[in-house]
Amino acid sequence: MAGRGQRTDIQGMRALAVGIVVLFHCGVPWLPGGYVGVDVFFVISGFLITTHLLSSLTGAGGISFADFYARRARRILPASLVVVALTVLASILWVPPLMLRQMFNAAIATALYVPNVLFAVQGTDYLAETTPSVFQHYWSLGVEEQFYLVWPAVLALAFHLCRRSTRGLFAVIAVIVAASFVGGLVLTFTNPPWAFFSLPTRAWELGAGGLLAMVMRTDPAWVRSRAAGAAAWLGLAAIVGASLLFDETTLFPGYAALLPVLGAVLMIAGGDVGTSWSPGRAMSLKPLQLLGLISYSVYLVHWPLIVIPQQAASPSAPLPPGALLALGAASVPLGALLYRFVETPFRNPPALVAARPRRSLLLAGAASVVIVVFSATAAQAISAQRLDSGTAAPVIAPRAHPVGTAFVASNIRPALRLTSDDNPSIYDDGCHRDIPSTDASACTFGSDPDAPRVVLFGDSHGAQWFPALLPLAETGAILLETDTKSDCPSVLVDPETVEPYPQCESWRSDVIERLNAAPPALIVLASYSGHYRPPATSAESYGEQWHAALEKTVAALPAVPVDWITDTPHQESTPSICLSAHLDDADACAVDRDDAIDMALQEQERTVDGIGWIDMNDYVCGPEKCPAVIGSYLVYRDRDHLTATYSRALSELLAAKLDLGSRDGDRDRDRDGDR
């Protein structure tokens, strides 16, 4: 590509990419797949960096690694680290105290250039995270920084081993791209967080840009053909189409990532302004050029600008959509300021350009160390902060229509800092299956092997009732068997409309087959009923689908009593986080009962034949409100799961409702015993 001018079309592609990402993060409903803008950035970065490195390899015969890393450090790190520092300070001022340790840990990972690894280890669901880190958008920067670290060495070594053959180098890159794509494809199904966040599973996207750089390095004539221009329009359509058609239910990256990646490749290949029938002229319009110029800075500032106010807002008064759009729009002028006063001055300052590369690298390292030391020290200090009101609450047993405690009690159970770990014990011993697992064997609990065998069957909303059932097993009243798996309902949802993931259907079928081979005394079903509703499906239509799926499930199970525990109320946000900011006003973290419970869906469940319908929500909510604290109990561990502590406290109340041969209690049943 020697002799060709600046690719203004690529600058326009940057504007397109950052625009759809910002709109997606603002919650624009018609752009549910706007996250693919990051994939466009990956292809652009791979193309430009590989073009530069190929020029060094084929021209000078090698790569000056120190110069390369110094230039990358000056280009990327000043703006990045300034935003990290400002985000830390803003979070200290406005983010709820319980989130601060998580924030400091993410700041440390970001300063060390491995935020993507942290989020993968934490099992973050980027597309469905309800309380995201203020540094979550840095995952893509972590991928690129790690790519820049290893890619020059990979190209230089391959070029040497291939005896300076560009064809051989192309073959090596192609193999890397193929291996990375296959790895990402496998992990998308078996370990989605690592597939989404890790460099090995995302390298193929940057590598695709690298392959294009190799193809275009000699400036072939075909790139200015009408066919290439038409293909570039198809590429633009692919990116826009993915933004409009993909959503949080799309298995991503997987096969789906091919659409925006190939779209970006086609746009770069045929998008030059001089290409006939090309979108290059449209991409070169001045507004797009200006946005593309500051796109990196806009990307850095937009996420904390949107997220921090949301985390600071009360759950009872969340930010309206218009406010989110206004915050997203504000990222443009703020990004321009960051570009003007940080990104540009530090890109090629004379004092650093004239010095040895190590000066740039040492300064970058020193800045990172300052952030790491400050964050680590502050994290320790924040851990000592008291997160309760200092007043104890009465220790009372759960009862119907509870009144919430108006403060965070000093004897609250579990403590706010321990809430996220207050899971049923089957999470720790492996009995609750994670997403990659297809192990359909059961775990059994109980002191009396001859007691009636009761099976708990469902997803994580089924598993949350394990602590309530375990005391019955411990006293010998039942022999408890667990069959629970994350994000996998026990209900036979229609795969044409709802498809959680492949391992789910396999696991569920094997469990049902095993139950038919050895029928228990009772099957208890519970699942996250509202979670599996397809985005385009109306509430009424989904209710009918759920009703049909429950009937299908009952028919597939053995002819034994089956109880369905209707879903628990949902909070607007994780209550423990809200409570940490309202220690003396816990009512601020309560939600309206009508908003927390899907009554229409419950009515559909009530009318399913052959099933016992159990509603425990009168012990979780009052007549009007669903409080976060009841007595000395913290009710929820996140937005929609009960704490294991509160679940266990409901044991006797749940036992009274179960179909264990007794018809006592306040059950609401519609059972066909001759099923």
Side-chain angles (χ1 to χ4, degrees):
M1 295 180 61
R4 296 181 67 179
Q6 181 184 10
R7 292 286 302 270
T8 55
D9 60 305
I10 291 181
Q11 199 76 296
M13 287 179 65
R14 287 193 176 110
L16 171 67
V18 78
I20 60 179
V21 168
V22 172
L23 288 173
F24 166 68
H25 286 152
C26 288
V28 174
W30 47 265
L31 206 66
Y35 52 84
V36 301
V38 172
D39 303 86
V40 176
F41 276 126
F42 283 163
V43 176
I44 293 173
S45 296
F47 173 77
L48 295 176
I49 289 300
T50 305
T51 297
H52 169 73
L53 294 173
L54 283 174
S55 177
S56 296
L57 285 172
T58 56
I63 297 171
S64 173
F65 290 94
D67 285 340
F68 174 82
Y69 293 135
R71 283 195 300 270
R72 285 291 87 199
R74 293 196 299 268
R75 170 69 179 87
I76 294 176
L77 296 184
S80 171
L81 295 177
V82 165
V83 172
V84 170
L86 293 176
T87 301
V88 168
L89 294 177
S91 297
I92 292 173
L93 292 174
W94 291 301
V95 166
L98 193 59
M99 297 191 71
L100 288 180
R101 182 158 190 115
Q102 174 207 66
M103 181 276 296
F104 286 126
N105 289 339
I108 292 171
T110 301
L112 296 176
Y113 320 121
V114 289
N116 56 319
V117 176
L118 173 67
F119 299 135
V121 169
Q122 291 176 339
T124 301
D125 186 344
Y126 176 84
L127 301 181
E129 185 64 45
T130 57
T131 53
S133 166
V134 292
F135 294 108
Q136 188 164 290
H137 66 311
Y138 271 88
W139 78 268
S140 60
L141 190 60
V143 168
E144 290 204 20
E145 289 166 339
Q146 294 152 27
F147 179 81
Y148 296 151
L149 182 65
V150 302
W151 195 237
V154 169
L155 292 182
L157 180 61
F159 192 63
H160 173 73
L161 294 177
C162 294
R163 299 182 179 180
R164 302 174 61 86
S165 166
T166 53
R167 289 186 177 181
L169 182 59
F170 182 89
V172 171
I173 297 176
V175 169
I176 292 173
V177 168
S180 172
F181 175 74
V182 172
L185 195 62
V186 172
L187 284 182
T188 297
F189 291 98
T190 60
N191 197 327
W194 280 100
F196 194 95
F197 290 112
S198 74
L199 171 63
T201 55
R202 290 295 196 138
W204 70 274
E205 301 185 31
L206 294 114
L211 287 175
L212 181 62
M214 292 220 54
V215 171
M216 297 181 66
R217 71 181 187 86
T218 56
D219 195 16
W222 61 262
V223 301
R224 288 178 293 278
S225 68
R226 288 185 174 182
W233 280 109
L234 287 176
L236 176 58
I239 294 170
V240 174
S243 302
L244 297 173
L245 299 176
F246 291 0
D247 56 38
E248 65 179 24
T249 67
T250 303
L251 289 175
F252 203 87
Y255 289 116
L258 284 170
L259 189 60
V261 169
L262 293 180
V265 167
L266 291 175
M267 283 196 72
I268 296 173
D272 194 358
V273 176
T275 303
S276 300
W277 294 16
S278 164
R281 293 190 184 279
M283 290 290 103
S284 300
L285 293 174
K286 190 171 183 179
L288 292 179
Q289 293 298 294
L290 293 175
L291 181 57
L293 187 67
I294 63 174
S295 58
Y296 175 59
S297 288
V298 170
Y299 181 81
L300 289 176
V301 302
H302 88 280
W303 180 252
L305 193 62
I306 293 170
V307 171
I308 291 176
Q310 290 186 81
Q311 294 179 350
S314 169
S316 59
L319 296 182
L324 295 180
L325 281 173
L327 290 170
S331 67
V332 176
L334 286 178
L337 291 174
L338 185 67
Y339 175 82
R340 170 66 179 83
F341 294 106
V342 179
E343 189 178 340
T344 300
F346 281 93
R347 184 174 298 177
N348 290 301
L352 294 180
V353 173
R356 292 182 177 180
R358 67 183 182 187
R359 179 178 293 181
S360 296
L361 299 176
L362 286 173
L363 285 175
S368 295
V369 168
V370 169
I371 292 174
V372 169
V373 171
F374 175 82
S375 297
T377 304
Q380 290 298 319
I382 207 71
S383 296
Q385 180 181 350
R386 186 166 183 167
L387 292 183
D388 63 67
S389 65
T391 303
V395 179
I396 56 175
R399 58 191 177 191
H401 308 301
V403 176
T405 304
F407 52 89
V408 178
S410 58
N411 58 335
I412 193 169
R413 296 178 293 162
L416 296 189
R417 284 199 175 91
L418 303 178
T419 306
S420 60
D421 295 325
D422 198 49
N423 294 310
S425 59
I426 51 176
Y427 279 74
D428 295 329
D429 61 22
C431 289
H432 178 72
R433 312 304 183 194
D434 56 16
I435 287 177
S437 175
T438 57
D439 182 2
S441 61
C443 289
T444 303
F445 304 84
S447 58
D448 183 359
D450 297 322
R453 180 167 145 249
V454 175
V455 172
L456 177 63
F457 185 16
D459 55 16
S460 62
H461 279 220
Q464 73 177 344
W465 293 110
F466 172 78
L469 293 171
L470 183 59
L472 302 179
E474 291 172 337
T475 59
I478 64 172
L479 189 65
L480 177 61
E481 177 183 304
T482 60
D483 292 295
T484 63
K485 179 174 168 63
S486 290
D487 213 19
C488 183
S490 50
V491 181
L492 290 167
V493 290
D494 184 358
E496 294 293 326
T497 57
V498 181
E499 185 179 0
Y501 52 93
Q503 296 93 331
C504 174
E505 186 176 354
S506 172
W507 171 84
R508 185 173 52 211
S509 297
D510 288 346
V511 170
I512 292 175
E513 181 179 353
R514 176 169 50 77
L515 294 179
N516 277 285
L522 170 67
I523 298 173
V524 179
L525 303 178
S527 291
Y528 191 175
S529 55
H531 179 60
Y532 304 100
R533 173 181 166 185
T537 305
S538 67
E540 181 180 359
S541 176
Y542 178 65
E544 294 171 353
Q545 292 175 16
W546 189 254
H547 179 279
L550 265 174
E551 287 189 332
K552 184 179 177 182
T553 305
V554 174
L557 291 169
V560 300
V562 177
D563 282 344
W564 168 261
I565 305 178
T566 194
D567 209 1
T568 41
H570 294 190
Q571 299 283 316
E572 294 293 338
S573 61
T574 300
S576 57
I577 293 174
C578 174
L579 290 168
S580 71
H582 298 87
L583 299 178
D584 296 310
D585 183 22
D587 291 338
C589 304
V591 298
D592 290 339
R593 182 177 179 126
D594 291 343
D595 295 332
I597 300 175
D598 189 338
M599 297 299 297
L601 195 59
Q602 285 193 357
E603 287 303 315
Q604 288 285 352
E605 296 169 351
R606 276 179 182 267
T607 59
V608 175
D609 290 335
I611 195 168
W613 190 77
I614 296 177
D615 184 1
M616 298 295 294
N617 291 336
D618 280 346
Y619 305 109
V620 179
C621 296
E624 297 180 357
K625 292 284 187 178
C626 296
V629 184
I630 297 174
S632 60
Y633 290 106
L634 179 59
V635 181
Y636 294 88
R637 76 169 189 264
D638 56 24
R639 288 178 63 190
D640 48 76
H641 294 89
L642 300 179
T643 60
T645 302
Y646 195 65
S647 174
R648 188 177 181 96
L650 295 173
S651 180
E652 292 184 6
L653 296 168
L654 178 59
K657 289 176 173 282
L658 291 174
D659 190 354
L660 293 172
S662 171
R663 296 294 175 180
D664 298 331
D666 55 343
R667 290 181 292 244
D668 183 349
R669 301 194 173 278
D670 182 5
R671 176 175 300 284
D672 177 8
D674 298 324
R675 185 173 80 248

